[in-house]
Amino acid sequence: MSKIFAHRGFSGKYPENTMLAFEKAVEIGVDGIEMDVHLTKDNELVIIHDENIKRTCNGEGLVRDMTLEELKAFDASATFTGVYGVNPIPTLREYFELVKDTDIITNIELKTGIFEYPTIEKRVIDMIYEYGLQDKIILSSFNHFTVKRCEEIAPEIKRGFLCESWLINYGKYTAEQNVQCCHPIFCNLSKEVVDEMHGAGCEINTWTVNEYEDIERLAALGVDALIGNFPDRMIEKLR
Ligand code: G3P
Ligand code: MG
């Protein structure tokens, strides 16, 4: 049975990557939550998708150019403006406080594709250990150097390589790098690709699976986790 992960929290119905979206995902009983992490000017770990706050907040500017206090002044509800009141950008710590006593699996995507945020891997891993969550985490990134840095710091924490291309031998490449999970975009998952990844011993956690027909097709292919904006639809179809 494929696991059900909420992408940026329950982002189909609530402002993405906010505590509200995470709380609602927990409430409906997801297996896991995916989120995106950046580093502020004063080295705080915050949960937001883009480098610039413009798309999701009522302001603009780079996360890395602002302190946490400055970032907290914005409302991160722009994907649902005016519907759910004010929802600030959460810190990773606030999120961990929410899930620390649950069985929720957390997929932390390190957003180091444009800015590398030196030290982000160490800061994330230190906080994971502070909360004792190391067995309930998957660290992933499109920047595979970031994933390898995570391995150097904490080889025991599960890792995933994100990729949006139709790679040949994605599973073999992943396994050879001592990484346990492939995190491909869902539309690249033919049976041949799924079989190659599983044949290499990899777990497959795919995104962003929103439509009923995709949920059914990917679950039937035996994909390990479906990461989507509408975890309610996945629960309806798969449980
Ligand atoms: O981690 C899966 C997925 O979130 C990767 O793409 O752009 O939604 O962060 P993106
Ligand atoms: Mg993401």
Side-chain angles (χ1 to χ4, degrees):
M1 175 73 78
S2 305
K3 289 196 171 72
I4 295 167
F5 282 27
H7 181 243
R8 310 180 193 172
F10 193 164
S11 63
K13 289 203 176 151
Y14 304 94
E16 68 175 55
N17 282 327
T18 61
M19 289 308 296
L20 178 64
F22 300 136
E23 285 157 11
K24 293 295 178 183
V26 172
E27 244 173 67
I28 64 167
V30 297
D31 300 300
I33 293 175
E34 186 267 2
M35 70 183 47
D36 310 288
V37 171
H38 290 258
L39 201 58
T40 67
K41 188 179 176 184
D42 53 344
N43 290 318
E44 297 289 342
L45 296 162
V46 285
I47 305 176
I48 184 167
H49 183 272
D50 303 353
E51 287 71 23
N52 195 305
I53 67 169
K54 192 174 176 182
R55 182 181 60 83
T56 52
C57 299
N58 58 345
E60 66 179 297
L62 296 176
V63 171
R64 72 165 185 171
D65 289 342
M66 287 184 262
T67 63
L68 179 60
E69 191 183 348
E70 286 165 342
L71 285 165
K72 280 287 188 187
F74 295 101
D75 180 8
S77 307
T79 50
F80 288 88
T81 304
V83 184
Y84 300 109
V86 174
N87 294 279
I89 298 170
T91 60
L92 185 61
R93 181 175 297 284
E94 287 169 293
Y95 171 82
F96 279 171
E97 285 292 331
L98 174 71
V99 299
K100 64 181 180 188
D101 298 320
T102 72
D103 292 329
I104 299 271
I105 300 162
T106 300
N107 175 198
I108 301 175
E109 183 188 344
L110 291 98
K111 281 289 187 199
T112 50
I114 294 176
F115 305 124
E116 278 211 285
Y117 302 116
T119 75
I120 193 171
E121 299 88 356
K122 171 94 167 60
R123 289 176 194 280
V124 167
I125 289 167
D126 282 350
M127 198 174 286
I128 291 169
Y129 274 96
E130 184 187 329
Y131 280 86
L133 288 167
Q134 56 275 10
D135 297 332
K136 292 186 268 185
I137 299 280
I138 305 171
L139 296 166
S140 66
S141 185
F142 285 103
N143 182 337
H144 296 184
F145 291 94
T146 286
V147 177
K148 292 299 282 182
R149 282 194 281 273
C150 290
E151 180 189 357
E152 277 168 32
I153 300 165
E156 60 284 354
I157 299 180
K158 199 184 263 190
R159 299 172 293 283
F161 275 162
L162 274 156
C163 189
E164 205 164 352
S165 302
W166 285 84
L167 290 186
I168 294 168
N169 294 331
Y170 188 157
K172 180 168 182 273
Y173 162 72
T174 302
E176 280 177 357
Q177 288 297 328
N178 201 28
V179 169
Q180 303 89 338
C181 311
C182 299
H183 285 215
I185 191 167
F186 78 99
C187 47
N188 296 357
L189 286 179
S190 61
K191 183 174 185 321
E192 179 188 351
V193 169
V194 166
D195 289 348
E196 191 278 330
M197 288 171 181
H198 277 158
C202 295
E203 185 177 307
I204 307 169
N205 306 317
T206 191
W207 47 279
T208 304
V209 188
N210 290 334
E211 305 304 326
Y212 285 106
E213 62 189 287
D214 296 317
I215 294 167
E216 281 182 338
R217 185 180 81 82
L218 293 159
L221 280 175
V223 169
D224 299 271
L226 309 182
I227 307 172
N229 298 345
F230 296 94
D232 53 339
R233 293 181 189 169
M234 298 197 268
I235 287 169
E236 182 191 329
K237 275 283 157 202
L238 304 182
R239 290 206 187 133

